[in-house]
Every structure is written in structure tokens, then in C-alpha cells.
Amino acid sequence: MPGTPRVKAPQMAIRRLSMYYRTLAVLREQGVASVSSEHLSTLTGSTAAQVRRDLAYFGSFGRRGVGYDVESLQSHMRGILGIGEGWPMALVGVGNLGSALLAYDGFPRQGFRIVEAFDSDPRRVGTVIRDVVVKPMDQVRETVRERRIAMALLAVPAKAAQAVTEQLIDAGVRCLLNFAPISLKVPSHVYLASVDLSIEVEYLSYLLRESRAEDSASNDIRTDVTTMMPL
Amino acid sequence: MPGTPRVKAPQMAIRRLSMYYRTLAVLREQGVASVSSEHLSTLTGSTAAQVRRDLAYFGSFGRRGVGYDVESLQSHMRGILGIGEGWPMALVGVGNLGSALLAYDGFPRQGFRIVEAFDSDPRRVGTVIRDVVVKPMDQVRETVRERRIAMALLAVPAKAAQAVTEQLIDAGVRCLLNFAPISLKVPSHVYLASVDLSIEVEYLSYLLRESRAEDSASNDIRTDVTTMMPL
DNA sequence: AGGAGCTTGTGATATCTTTCACGTGGCAAA
DNA sequence: TTTGCCACGTGAAAGATATCACAAGCTCCT
């Protein structure tokens, strides 16, 4: 890998890499061979300086005066993000949201696959969704260990989330993506990210409310907003 | 409202308010009348200083030497976040994810309700989920205007997302929660938040990969991580 | 009433992140 | 080869956010 990562990359930079990666995939489909930081920034809603800085955290992938080679940059991003290593994932909680996650084709497209699903409800156990058989909770430990699953998606009710989390960690899971609206506690060797729909909606609600007060609207272009709570 | 917001609150502070709000709701159910910043911080995975600072952006709600009154603080948070104003929301895209969103009970519990749903697929139009009739896309404009819907959830394929966004904005929507894995462009008077599952999973994948390299694990307690990309 | 002990609210400070601005290397054309 | 232009990579500056640490205010007890 060219260049050395002098300092640790900010969490947000890593998230933006995902955006860059996807954008590069689109460019490649379109037959674009080379892209500048400027170009990439308009496509991802970032700034040129930010794109360059983000990439520079991991090495120097571009050529001065030219830009970045789309294919090579994409493959570097893939390597950095661990895409295509085919991480197998486990899903716990096969309710409405869990079922939707099982069916979500964005995961396999990026090389992540849900290979096991669990639920505590006996009526759901045994059902098959997208070739995955729903297993009872008491098989979590054995299955996760056996298949060496490191990542899990948590789509259970808030009340059950902490207990299930502990089960999963005990079984050897190292990464958790939590959808339950609750703040989970995990030991520091476990990575945790959360998608919290209520927080998103309430944040928008706040902005809406605030804007009613001041009401100052211009006509610029505002760009994408995602979300991250560090550490 | 007591106190004055001297400076604009960071976006992250607002997201944390949502956490505080939910935690307060739990405390109230448990009959807890008063809570300190210290206590609240352990429950939400923040720090005491951060809790105090976050709250101080909006006023002074506590009493020195005592703490915060759970009920009154909760009601202040509710006001700030605009919870309970009963914002009606529209959903576009009633696929797997869209259906799950319709069924998600976290929204109505916080006072947000999906009152209209739209889909471009004729096979889905007319179906009823949770008392909501799925309407065709060409009724977006009229319906959103008529019902004065300001918030919309976008659960359509990435390819369609930008076009649908523009339809919604044209119809008067001011806030969008986007689930499509794409960076949307919206005018600056429109608020946009995105939930991007691929980014979350790839972020975890990155951390996992990185940890394999250095492998330095201690036994502290790590706390919740959500996600936010500012402006 | 006075003092001990607790917890808030907040200046000041430290840390983290983004933006600026320019030196450097690279390409192309004359 | 030289000239002109382009776009990266990166120190340095600015800006944003989090943390520290303490004065101010409240309650209770004596």
C-alpha cells in the first residue's frame, strides 16, 4: 500500500470512504477511468479538500496533475474497508425489521451476507427467509462459534437487546450493529454501531421546529447528512 | 423556558437529547423523581460533563446540589425535540424496508405517525398495512399538500431516490429521512438525514480489520456508537 | 444561623476535525 | 527541452466539539 497512515483516521472519514467506494463503483460502470478529488466531491456531497484528506489518511493513491485511477482507487478502498472478505453475519430478531434486513440486497452486494438468523419466538423458529433457517436463541452460542461469525445485526426489542448482546459477545461476536433504541454496553474489544430511527426522526423534528422560529431560507444546495456518535 | 441558548447546539448534542429523553421516560416509569447528570450519563453512555453541557445549550433545567427533576426535564426535552406535536409523515417505497417502517412501533410511541404511503409498483398500490392504504406515486403531490405533511421517509431503490426526493420537495416536504444508499442533493431549506446500512456495516468491517492488525484489547467498557454526518 | 456536602452551569482548556492555501510532481503541447 | 497548466498531498490555520475544574447555589443537619 502506498504511503503511510501518519495519524489515525477520524471515524467520519472512514464512513465517507464507504461513500467514495460506492461512487467509484458507479463511475466504473459508466466506463470512467479517472476522477479528480473535485469530481468525487461533487458526487458524494463532500469537498475536494476533504476527499483528498480522507484518502491521505490511508496513503497516496492519486497522481498529481491527473487525479485518481478509478479502478485502482476502488480496489484500495475495498481493501481498507474489508469489503469482499465475505464476512458472514448473524441476525438476531426476525420481526418486521429483521425480515427486511434479511431481504436487503445491499449487504450481499457489498460482500456481506447474513448466514444465520435467530429468534426467541417459537412461531418464527424454523421458518425460512431467503434461504436462511431461523433458529432458536439457545443455538446462538454453538452456531456463532462453529461458523466463526464475527458480525451480528441486532433487531430485537429494546428490552431484550442488552441480554442478547451479551449472549452474542460470549459466543465470540466482535462487531454489533444495533437497531434497538437503547444504549448498549459492550466491552472495549467489541465494536458497536447503532441505527436509531427515533433519534433520526427526532433530530429532523428538532430542525423543523427550530426553522419555524427563525425562518431564514436561502436557495443553496445542501448535501447529504448521515449520522455518527463517536466513541 | 429557563435560560437562554447562548450558542447554537452541536448536531450531536441534539441527537444525544433524544437519548436523554428516552432514558428519562424509562426512569419515570420506574418512579424515579430526580436524576443527576452523573446518573444520566451512565445510563446513556455519555459523561456527566457532556450531559450538563448538552442540556445547558437549551437552558438551565437542574437545581444545584440536587439534580434534575425527571418529569420536568423530560417535558422540556419533549418540547425542544418537537415530540408530541404529532408530525404526520409520509412513506415512499413499500418494499421490505418500507413495510417494516410502517410497522415500526417506535414512531407512534414518540408521537410520529406514518399517515400516507406511496409506491410505484401497481401490485402494491391499494394494499393496506397498519391502516395505511398504499397510494400510487402520482398522488404524492396532491396528498402531501393537502395533509400538510412536512416529513417523509424514503425507502426506494437508490436509482429512484433523487427523483422521488424532488417530487416530495416540490409537494412541500421539508424533512427527509433517506434509507437509500445514495447521497441526495436537496435545497438548503430542506433537512435531510440518512440511514445507510452499507456504511454502517462497512465501518464495522473496517474496525474489525484494523483490530486484527494491531490487536490490542483491554477490558474497559465501551459505549454506544451511533452515527452522524454533519451538514 | 452556619457549615458540610453535593451537583449544577460555565469559563477556560484541550482535543479533534475541517478548511485553506501552496509546494510538489506530473502531463501535454510547442 | 521548456513552458504552462493541472491536481494531489499536506503543513498550518481555523473552527467545532468535548473535557476539565471550579464558583455558585441548593439542602440538610446541627
Side-chain angles (χ1 to χ4, degrees):
Chain A
M1 197 175 307
T4 320
R6 300 128 272 272
V7 293
K8 196 167 63 84
Q11 299 115 340
M12 289 307 300
I14 296 153
R15 299 190 118 73
R16 283 188 297 261
L17 288 197
S18 289
M19 290 292 309
Y20 303 152
Y21 174 79
R22 270 205 311 248
T23 306
L24 289 166
V26 172
L27 288 173
R28 234 180 81 173
E29 276 171 28
Q30 295 173 351
V32 179
S34 178
V35 68
S36 68
S37 58
E38 176 63 34
H39 187 191
L40 202 46
S41 74
T42 63
L43 293 173
T44 58
S46 190
T47 70
Q50 181 125 72
V51 169
R52 293 200 299 276
R53 176 70 75 194
D54 286 344
L55 297 178
Y57 283 119
F58 300 97
S60 14
F61 307 114
R63 280 200 299 175
R64 299 176 184 220
V66 180
Y68 302 90
D69 179 78
V70 170
E71 191 165 335
S72 114
L73 185 56
Q74 194 201 7
S75 106
H76 275 117
M77 297 297 101
R78 180 187 288 116
I80 291 163
L81 294 172
I83 297 168
E85 307 212 4
W87 298 117
M89 302 191 297
L91 167 71
V92 182
V94 193
N96 288 303
L97 181 57
S99 304
L101 292 174
L102 262 173
Y104 182 59
D105 61 353
F107 291 141
R109 211 186 304 132
Q110 307 288 324
F112 299 91
R113 185 163 307 189
I114 298 174
V115 296
E116 297 285 351
F118 303 91
D119 203 294
S120 63
D121 186 338
R123 284 169 301 178
R124 287 184 189 141
V125 171
T127 59
V128 180
I129 307 179
R130 299 270 169 142
D131 299 334
V132 177
V133 183
V134 178
K135 295 184 179 174
M137 287 303 293
D138 57 21
Q139 288 182 28
V140 164
R141 190 188 169 95
E142 188 190 335
T143 308
V144 166
R145 292 218 163 161
E146 213 162 73
R147 300 198 64 166
R148 291 205 157 58
I149 293 173
M151 298 184 61
L153 310 179
L154 210 60
V156 303
K159 281 173 195 162
Q162 184 64 47
V164 171
T165 297
E166 279 153 24
Q167 262 185 89
L168 286 165
I169 292 171
D170 179 57
V173 161
R174 308 260 336 263
C175 288
L176 277 166
L177 180 49
N178 171 44
F179 292 86
I182 189 174
S183 168
L184 296 177
K185 312 290 187 238
V186 302
S188 69
H189 67 280
V190 174
Y191 298 110
L192 173 63
S194 286
V195 172
D196 192 317
L197 300 182
S198 296
I199 288 179
E200 301 306 325
V201 170
E202 284 165 18
Y203 177 63
L204 288 172
S205 164
Y206 166 82
L207 293 174
L208 195 56
R209 219 158 176 293
E210 193 191 41
S211 76
R212 288 282 155 80
E214 336 160 1
D215 218 294
S216 59
S218 71
N219 257 348
D220 314 329
I221 291 290
R222 175 188 309 247
T223 293
D224 203 354
V225 177
T226 323
T227 58
M228 147 111 223
M229 238 145 100
L231 182 66
Chain B
M1 198 175 305
T4 319
R6 301 125 270 272
V7 293
K8 194 167 66 78
Q11 299 114 341
M12 289 308 300
I14 296 152
R15 298 191 119 73
R16 284 188 297 261
L17 288 197
S18 288
M19 290 292 310
Y20 304 152
Y21 174 79
R22 270 206 310 249
T23 304
L24 290 166
V26 172
L27 287 173
R28 232 180 83 174
E29 276 171 28
Q30 295 172 352
V32 179
S34 178
V35 68
S36 69
S37 59
E38 176 64 32
H39 187 191
L40 201 47
S41 74
T42 64
L43 293 174
T44 57
S46 190
T47 68
Q50 179 119 73
V51 169
R52 293 201 298 275
R53 177 70 74 193
D54 286 344
L55 298 178
Y57 283 118
F58 300 96
S60 21
F61 307 115
R63 280 202 300 176
R64 297 173 188 225
V66 179
Y68 301 90
D69 179 78
V70 170
E71 191 165 335
S72 117
L73 185 56
Q74 195 202 6
S75 107
H76 275 117
M77 297 298 101
R78 180 188 288 118
I80 292 163
L81 294 171
I83 298 169
E85 308 213 4
W87 298 117
M89 304 191 297
L91 168 71
V92 183
V94 193
N96 288 300
L97 182 57
S99 304
L101 292 173
L102 262 173
Y104 183 59
D105 61 353
F107 290 142
R109 210 185 306 132
Q110 307 289 323
F112 299 92
R113 186 163 305 190
I114 297 173
V115 297
E116 297 284 351
F118 304 92
D119 202 295
S120 63
D121 185 338
R123 285 170 300 178
R124 287 185 190 141
V125 170
T127 60
V128 180
I129 308 178
R130 298 271 168 141
D131 297 335
V132 177
V133 183
V134 178
K135 295 184 179 173
M137 287 303 294
D138 57 21
Q139 288 183 29
V140 165
R141 191 188 170 95
E142 188 191 336
T143 308
V144 166
R145 292 219 164 158
E146 212 162 75
R147 301 199 63 165
R148 290 204 158 57
I149 293 174
M151 298 185 60
L153 310 179
L154 210 61
V156 303
K159 282 173 196 163
Q162 184 64 47
V164 171
T165 297
E166 280 153 24
Q167 264 185 87
L168 286 165
I169 292 171
D170 178 58
V173 161
R174 307 259 337 263
C175 288
L176 277 165
L177 181 50
N178 171 43
F179 292 86
I182 190 174
S183 168
L184 296 176
K185 314 288 187 237
V186 302
S188 70
H189 68 278
V190 174
Y191 298 111
L192 173 63
S194 287
V195 171
D196 192 316
L197 299 183
S198 296
I199 287 179
E200 302 305 326
V201 171
E202 284 165 18
Y203 177 64
L204 289 172
S205 164
Y206 166 83
L207 293 174
L208 195 56
R209 222 160 173 293
E210 194 191 42
S211 76
R212 288 281 154 83
E214 337 160 359
D215 217 293
S216 59
S218 68
N219 258 348
D220 313 330
I221 291 291
R222 176 188 308 249
T223 293
D224 204 353
V225 177
T226 322
T227 58
M228 148 109 223
M229 237 145 98
L231 185 62

